[in-house]
Amino acid sequence: MGGAAPATLHLVLGDEDLLIERAVGGVLAAVRAASGEGQNLQATRLRAGEVAVNELAEMLSPSLFAEDRIIVLDAAGEAGKEPAKLVADTAADLPDGVYLVVLHSGGGRAKSMVPALKKAGAQVHDCAKLRPQQRGDFVRGEFRSAGVRAAPDVVEAVLAAVGSDLRELASACSQLVADTGGRVDAAAVRKYYAGRAEVSGFDVADKAVAGDRAAALEALRWALQRGTAHVPLADALADAVHTIARVGAAGRGDPYSMAGSLGMPPWKIKKAQAQLRGWRPETIGRALQVVATLNGDVKGGSPEPDYALERAVLRVCELRGG
């Protein structure tokens, strides 16, 4: 069959679950397609910290019947000294028909395995956690893979509505494309995600830091009635206040230029710059104290977390107005 043969040694490096899952799935699909056995070629998955050395040695040894085998080694960073040495030594000279996929966080007690596998010629799959400013590119890529070119306001709306979890972002992009027939705009994002718990939390926070007392209380009560947990609501308010504090301290500037130093996506900085109107350094400081107290209240410090949330939202509204 056409195309280059898949590599026999793979290093899946990082700790972002969705990217790891996709990388491993891609390797398995490529190997199965090249082997001619298709789905009949099963992968053996072992956890590095739990597998015995003799078991691992048997799996990595040459096959008498020249059968293809795929071995996926999970949590390789936690492997003991002997298994780690065995993997590194075998990787340097893999037996014919053996495909080895090593999942490694990049740290752990067996972190020396990473350079050893790279030296052995492993194909590296980067699965590190994305920085905040990279999530926009991820969303654009998800839409692109579905044949949709997403406008900047669509990307911003998805990030604001769904949050930072890559699995949820990927699911949201896929669902939006399916629900709209590929005609995704910011209005569609707001329509389909208006009822999400995450949206209600950020909606409460946005209204509170804008000083819109009536709207913030209405959104908070609606969220509580729907059963939204107290902690995500408190976290959303804290995130809004902390973002304003950090962006305010950084001074005015181009959001795209500031993104790297602040560790935030440009859309979030731009939004905070608009929200800063009406805030002063001293009132931001008091608001930070409010959300810090609220954090303890919703995590067991208050017998009435509903009231604690309402009190904090009202206080933030007052501080913005003051």
Side-chain angles (χ1 to χ4, degrees), residues 62-321:
S63 169
L64 292 175
F65 304 100
E67 296 171 330
D68 286 346
R69 282 172 293 159
I70 310 172
I71 301 164
V72 180
L73 190 62
D74 282 300
E78 303 309 315
K81 184 177 180 180
E82 289 185 36
K85 184 178 186 304
L86 175 60
V87 171
D89 290 347
T90 307
D93 187 20
L94 278 177
D96 290 341
V98 173
Y99 294 87
L100 179 60
V101 184
V102 180
L103 278 58
H104 201 299
S105 66
R109 55 181 174 174
K111 59 184 176 183
S112 61
M113 191 190 296
V114 172
L117 294 178
K118 288 181 177 179
K119 184 178 180 181
Q123 181 176 333
V124 180
H125 304 264
D126 184 8
C127 298
K129 292 282 187 186
L130 297 189
R131 296 189 298 275
Q133 58 267 37
Q134 293 177 307
R135 293 180 191 132
D137 291 336
F138 175 81
V139 170
R140 274 187 288 273
E142 291 298 298
F143 280 121
R144 193 182 307 116
S145 67
V148 173
R149 184 175 180 180
D153 63 335
V154 170
V155 175
E156 292 179 10
V158 170
L159 290 168
V162 180
S164 60
D165 184 87
L166 292 198
R167 197 177 298 278
E168 292 190 10
L169 286 170
S171 176
C173 294
S174 176
Q175 193 64 50
L176 282 164
V177 172
D179 289 342
T180 64
R183 295 182 291 275
V184 185
D185 57 19
V189 178
R190 289 190 290 270
K191 173 185 175 183
Y192 286 100
Y193 287 88
R196 284 179 59 97
E198 294 90 343
V199 177
S200 62
F202 289 112
D203 191 41
V204 173
D206 285 344
K207 289 175 170 55
V209 297
D212 192 339
R213 183 178 185 277
L217 283 179
E218 181 183 358
L220 174 63
R221 287 163 184 165
W222 177 81
L224 291 172
Q225 286 172 5
R226 289 187 66 253
T228 304
H230 299 103
V231 172
L233 289 167
D235 286 348
L237 184 62
D239 180 72
V241 173
H242 280 275
T243 298
I244 286 176
R246 291 180 62 196
V247 173
R252 300 295 297 179
D254 174 52
Y256 288 89
S257 301
M258 299 166 69
S261 60
L262 290 178
M264 298 180 192
W267 66 265
K268 192 171 186 178
I269 297 172
K270 184 177 180 181
K271 179 180 176 182
Q273 287 175 335
Q275 291 173 331
L276 269 165
R277 289 190 289 270
W279 286 95
R280 301 189 307 276
E282 59 269 27
T283 54
I284 291 175
R286 291 177 197 146
L288 288 170
Q289 294 174 350
V290 170
V291 295
T293 300
L294 177 62
N295 179 63
D297 287 343
V298 298
K299 293 179 179 177
S302 170
E304 298 181 358
D306 284 16
Y307 174 69
L309 274 164
E310 184 171 317
R311 181 178 57 200
V313 166
L314 284 172
R315 184 59 179 143
V316 170
C317 289
E318 292 168 0
L319 288 167
R320 196 274 182 186

